Amino acid sequence: MKSGWWKALGVLLLLYVVIVGLRTPLAPALVHLSEDKLPPGRNEVVVAGYNTRFTADAPQAWLQNDAQFVCATAATAERDDRLRVVFDVPDGLRRDLSHLVVRSNGRTLVFHDAFWNPAKGAGIANAGCAPPVEDTAGPFEFPDRSVLYETIRNLFFHVPMWFTMMWLMTLSLLHSIRTLRNNDLEHDRAAVSAVSTGLLFAFLGLITGSLWARNTWGTWWTSDPQLNGAAAVTLIYLAYLVLRGSVNEFDKRSRLAAIYNIFAYALMIVFFLVLPRLTDSLHPGKGGNPAFSQYDLDHHLRTVFYPAVAGWVLVGTWLYTLRRRARRIEAWLDEEPSA
Amino acid sequence: MRPAEILHLLRLELRLDLHQRHAVGGSLLYVVSAVFVAYQAMQGRAEGTAWNALFWIILLFAAFNTLARSFQREDAGQHLYLYTLADPRNVILARVIYGAGTMLVLSLLSFGTYVLFLGHAPLNDANVGQYLLAVVAGGTGFAAVLTLVSAIASRAGNGVGLMAVLGFPIVLPLLLSAIKAGRLALIGMPWTVTGKYLLWLGLVDVIAVTLAWVLFPYLWRDR
């Protein structure tokens, strides 16, 4: 039991991740506007908020257009997540797109590039309705990003799956190299246990990724270098298992499998790390897309994400040791030589 | 690594191929019939993307067909005979070089037949030099990656079927980049754009050959 502390740590970390990761609310945000174009004159806009409390105080609203401001003539909270704003838009705003800014409960909520301004001009006399108030530090909550919304929590599940898979495949590679060095079947069993556990995480990664894609990009699967790479890597390791299955002599099997594993690993690196960076990709962090660190300005995601990675890696390693022990017993039952 | 031994092994491969002409002829016939099937299926109306994709698929299957021969044609006795005479590193290098040479010829021949049957309309705006370079780099790249796979499959004693299972996913990064390079060349992209992919094809070749060189001795011996 003394040596099992890391298993308990992994379980505790995942417990923390599930509780904090799923229960922490998203920061209040403006998510939908009834209009997308504000011509000069009187305009009424209904603003939908998420996790907002518009009725708790009197919200202020204004348009921001290239550092010039247009104050709302009225901002009425109809519900906690519904604000009716009236603007008297002047002629001659400088930019094509205006931001909508709402100040509510001591926090500034911005809807970037909210409205198209059809009557561009040289600029207006600036109104004094935008008091530069510092935001009070918010409570512990996750950023609310357009497109992602609540699915941002999948960060704690989808991404660590692939990290864990990479870790297990690396472990398998090391064992495969040692198999070739000294023909030890124990290393061969370790390598195949790591691959089959890694494949489990690859499938989980594909499933969580597919669900995420459905909710953000609107499709279960799309032809993207990162996604194709993930699918191909899964196929490569399935082929590894097929190769093992097609050879009966355990001595030959261990060597052939080790060679294929080393070859496969090198190409996995190519697929995951190089190819998606070479071409355009929808996937965050690839092909010029921002990674999550850019959303996480207050480090709230990080306080859950890092424990999630550690927790999944520890639990993955635990699963791997269990499989390895099971294989050792199977080998003993099949009367394979132990070394 | 002894160049003399590699040369000798290359000559042996060539003599074997000249001796077994039906095998070489089989590869050529395979390409021609695949192109003919494609020609019948497309009814002569293949546009750029489809034209390019179809060509690479034909070349991929031709590569599997040809490179499977590299190790599967030797039986246990021949293997043992070669084992006692040659250094494994030289054997794999010779086989990769020979495979690359065969694929070079085969890919250019396939390209010729393909253009003959399916027309050269998609090539009108293309950078033909670029496309040919992609074809050659892709074809030799298949040889670099698939030769070791062919060796593994043949040592596993489970012929072409296993080679396809092991080879397809592993050859994918190469194939995808080759298809992309071909597509860019067809639109007539400048070298700065397509060059990235061609360089990348070369890099995958280098990785694959290095790994084959390091790993093959372990595959070669029986214990």
Side-chain angles (χ1 to χ4, degrees):
Chain A
M1 195 54 217
K2 262 182 196 163
S3 60
W5 61 270
W6 56 273
K7 300 171 188 168
L9 178 66
V11 172
L12 284 176
L13 282 174
L14 286 192
L15 218 60
Y16 162 80
V17 166
V18 168
I19 293 171
V20 178
L22 296 184
R23 289 197 54 87
T24 303
L26 291 188
L30 312 175
V31 291
H32 185 76
L33 307 170
S34 63
E35 306 293 325
D36 50 14
K37 180 171 121 182
L38 292 189
R42 186 174 185 278
N43 286 280
E44 203 177 274
V45 181
V46 179
V47 181
Y50 188 80
N51 284 353
T52 47
R53 288 183 296 125
F54 289 141
T55 52
D57 69 344
Q60 293 170 279
W62 60 88
L63 295 179
Q64 187 182 348
N65 184 300
D66 191 25
Q68 296 190 311
F69 300 100
V70 177
C71 321
T73 45
T76 343
E78 294 185 339
R79 285 204 314 250
D80 264 345
D81 58 354
R82 216 169 128 106
L83 186 68
R84 189 173 291 273
V85 190
V86 181
F87 287 110
D88 259 329
V89 182
D91 215 343
L93 284 164
R94 271 201 291 256
R95 282 278 160 85
D96 282 323
L97 294 168
S98 313
H99 307 312
L100 171 70
V101 188
V102 172
R103 214 177 144 72
S104 160
N105 298 308
R107 304 181 66 159
T108 310
L109 314 175
V110 185
F111 197 116
H112 286 278
D113 300 333
F115 302 112
W116 180 53
N117 165 38
K120 225 161 60 155
I124 53 163
N126 211 348
C129 59
V133 188
E134 280 288 308
D135 272 14
T136 47
F140 189 83
E141 54 198 11
F142 296 140
D144 186 328
R145 302 297 304 200
S146 170
V147 178
L148 284 171
Y149 306 122
E150 290 281 3
T151 70
I152 204 164
R153 304 168 199 283
N154 201 2
L155 178 69
F156 315 130
F157 301 94
H158 175 66
V159 183
M161 292 304 160
W162 293 109
F163 282 8
T164 313
M165 183 264 195
M166 285 291 279
W167 154 246
L168 286 168
M169 294 316 182
T170 309
L171 209 64
S172 166
L173 170 82
L174 297 176
H175 280 294
S176 279
I177 292 174
R178 294 181 71 176
T179 310
L180 286 186
R181 279 260 173 82
N182 53 22
N183 277 331
D184 187 349
L185 286 178
E186 177 57 30
H187 288 304
D188 181 50
R189 283 193 287 272
V192 65
S193 310
V195 166
S196 47
T197 317
L199 267 174
L200 172 73
F201 281 91
F203 283 125
L204 290 175
L206 285 176
I207 293 169
T208 49
S210 190
L211 286 169
W212 213 355
R214 177 71 188 141
N215 283 289
T216 51
W217 301 337
T219 170
W220 297 107
W221 188 268
T222 171
S223 180
D224 181 87
Q226 183 80 2
L227 276 65
N228 290 338
V233 163
T234 312
L235 282 180
I236 287 179
Y237 282 104
L238 284 174
Y240 168 86
L241 293 183
V242 171
L243 173 64
R244 294 190 67 92
S246 68
V247 186
N248 284 328
E249 299 162 60
F250 39 74
D251 217 24
K252 197 182 208 175
R253 179 173 64 211
S254 72
R255 223 171 41 249
L256 291 183
I259 289 167
Y260 188 74
N261 192 9
I262 296 168
F263 208 49
Y265 188 87
L267 287 151
M268 176 175 82
I269 296 291
V270 162
F271 252 142
F272 264 141
L273 303 183
V274 190
L275 210 52
R277 282 185 171 73
L278 207 64
T279 52
D280 301 324
S281 173
L282 283 169
H283 199 275
K286 300 285 155 60
N289 275 322
F292 273 83
S293 52
Q294 292 194 13
Y295 301 156
D296 193 25
L297 298 175
D298 51 10
H299 299 276
H300 288 174
L301 286 174
R302 251 168 260 238
T303 53
V304 186
F305 177 66
Y306 291 148
V309 172
W312 284 113
V313 166
L314 287 174
V315 168
T317 313
W318 185 12
L319 277 176
Y320 148 72
T321 57
L322 287 177
R323 290 205 78 116
R324 188 175 164 178
R325 281 159 65 189
R327 272 187 188 273
R328 201 179 296 154
I329 295 167
E330 277 167 24
W332 179 75
L333 289 175
D334 291 347
E335 294 177 350
E336 270 180 31
S338 58
Chain B
M1 189 166 73
R2 276 177 34 227
E5 192 170 287
I6 294 178
L7 264 176
H8 200 82
L9 286 165
L10 281 174
R11 219 175 299 142
L12 173 74
E13 290 287 303
L14 188 64
R15 290 232 304 266
L16 273 173
D17 264 353
L18 289 177
H19 195 64
Q20 308 172 334
R21 289 218 187 103
H22 60 278
V24 183
S27 282
L28 290 178
L29 193 61
Y30 185 89
V31 168
V32 173
S33 12
V35 168
F36 189 71
V37 168
Y39 163 69
Q40 289 295 334
M42 297 304 284
Q43 299 286 326
R45 280 196 303 266
E47 295 303 317
T49 310
W51 191 90
N52 183 44
L54 208 53
F55 174 69
W56 281 106
I57 290 169
I58 290 173
L59 194 60
L60 177 74
F61 278 86
F64 267 94
N65 201 0
T66 311
L67 295 165
R69 230 167 358 122
S70 150
F71 279 91
Q72 265 145 32
R73 71 170 163 206
E74 66 184 22
D75 57 30
Q78 279 167 323
H79 170 249
L80 194 64
Y81 179 60
L82 207 56
Y83 181 82
T84 54
L85 291 178
D87 177 16
R89 300 234 148 103
N90 291 338
V91 172
I92 189 72
L93 275 184
R95 296 264 163 104
V96 168
I97 293 169
Y98 191 78
T102 323
M103 280 310 296
L104 180 79
V105 176
L106 192 71
S107 50
L108 288 176
L109 272 175
S110 314
F111 184 70
T113 341
Y114 193 72
V115 170
L116 197 69
F117 273 95
L118 276 96
H120 53 79
L123 285 173
N124 286 344
D125 313 322
N127 191 333
V128 179
Q130 246 177 38
Y131 198 84
L132 279 178
L133 195 63
V135 168
V136 167
T140 50
F142 288 153
V145 175
L146 291 178
T147 305
L148 186 72
V149 175
S150 157
I152 294 176
S154 108
R155 299 298 282 147
N158 191 334
V160 186
L162 188 61
M163 172 150 174
V165 172
L166 298 181
F168 272 126
I170 246 179
V171 93
L172 252 166
L174 195 80
L175 181 69
L176 292 179
S177 334
I179 291 179
K180 184 88 189 228
R183 206 162 57 214
L184 292 176
L186 279 188
I187 330 172
M189 280 285 175
W191 283 97
T192 42
V193 180
T194 321
K196 198 170 66 172
Y197 291 91
L198 293 175
L199 214 68
W200 170 245
L201 283 178
L203 191 71
V204 173
D205 290 6
V206 171
I207 297 172
V209 173
T210 313
L211 279 173
W213 191 74
V214 171
L215 293 174
F216 186 70
Y218 296 100
L219 191 65
W220 187 237
R221 55 169 206 224
D222 255 330
R223 170 79 223 179

